[in-house]
Amino acid sequence: NHERVTIVSDGTRKHVMALWGDDAILQAPGQGTIADSYPIPVEPGAKYEVTVWARSTGPQSRVLIEGYQWAPGIKPHPDPEYFEMRKVYKFSQLYFSDKKEGTMSTLDKTWRKATVVIPDPGMSSSADAQKALKKIKFYMLHICAIGGGTGTLYIDDVSIKKIGMLPPPAPKPATP
């Protein structure tokens, strides 16, 4: 995978992440070309806005934020490695077109912006989601060029910024 991910000038922008794939890589089940960010420490109970710009000469994209906690037996420290963490939550995918469904987003050669607020407003109210959200210590941006046709997925201007705090959970009704 490392030979298919580079930083390039795409002709319109400098220092752009490029994820290349051909049909054999992009169409193989579970494969694609993948890049994950370093762990990003997050504030418990905070809401974040994630913005990513992308374009493609062939591949479709799967771009999303995943929430991680420390793996069992790992003493917390300021510079975590991927193998020291455990995934506990997948947030909504970023879509670069009007179609906001399915497991991939289709792009063309024009730069497009996608934005999502996390935690997902509708999902963060369930008891199971609240339990998982409380465990999250880090976010990681997961980028995958998958599906589509031979070519390059370009990623630029990624932003993850705190925009507020989640409301406190509603009190449980008293039982008689």
Side-chain angles (χ1 to χ4, degrees), residues 5-172:
V5 180
T6 59
I7 303 298
V8 301
S9 171
D10 81 327
T12 61
R13 297 177 180 216
K14 295 180 180 179
H15 311 294
V16 174
M17 179 182 281
L19 294 86
W20 179 86
D22 61 13
D23 287 343
I25 293 164
L26 300 171
Q27 302 300 331
Q31 179 129 2
T33 300
I34 298 170
D36 289 320
S37 73
Y38 283 104
I40 303 160
V42 294
E43 182 180 340
K47 288 191 302 186
Y48 292 85
E49 180 182 78
V50 179
T51 303
V52 177
W53 283 84
R55 74 178 192 86
S56 176
T57 63
Q60 293 177 312
S61 73
R62 185 176 299 140
V63 179
L64 56 99
I65 293 285
E66 297 174 326
Y68 286 80
Q69 68 179 10
W70 291 104
I74 300 296
K75 182 179 177 185
H77 58 87
D79 195 19
E81 298 284 339
Y82 181 78
F83 68 89
E84 296 176 312
M85 299 181 304
R86 176 181 288 165
K87 189 184 322 179
V88 292
Y89 203 86
K90 280 186 177 183
F91 292 97
S92 293
Q93 180 173 314
L94 284 97
Y95 292 98
F96 297 93
S97 66
D98 293 337
K99 183 180 174 189
K100 305 221 182 302
E101 59 186 34
T103 61
M104 293 177 250
S105 182
T106 302
L107 285 151
D108 57 26
K109 294 180 181 182
T110 306
W111 283 102
R112 304 238 184 251
K113 179 173 115 174
T115 302
V116 68
V117 172
I118 56 175
D120 312 342
M123 296 189 65
S124 60
S125 60
S126 77
D128 287 341
Q130 286 293 325
K131 186 177 176 181
L133 291 172
K134 286 180 183 179
K135 295 177 182 179
I136 295 173
K137 304 295 182 212
F138 303 95
Y139 288 156
M140 287 179 64
L141 179 66
H142 175 76
I143 302 166
C144 184
I146 192 166
T150 297
T152 304
L153 170 65
Y154 296 97
I155 301 290
D156 197 20
D157 292 334
V158 174
S159 169
I160 301 173
K161 66 180 181 179
K162 180 181 163 186
I163 59 170
M165 299 300 287
L166 293 171
K172 293 181 181 179

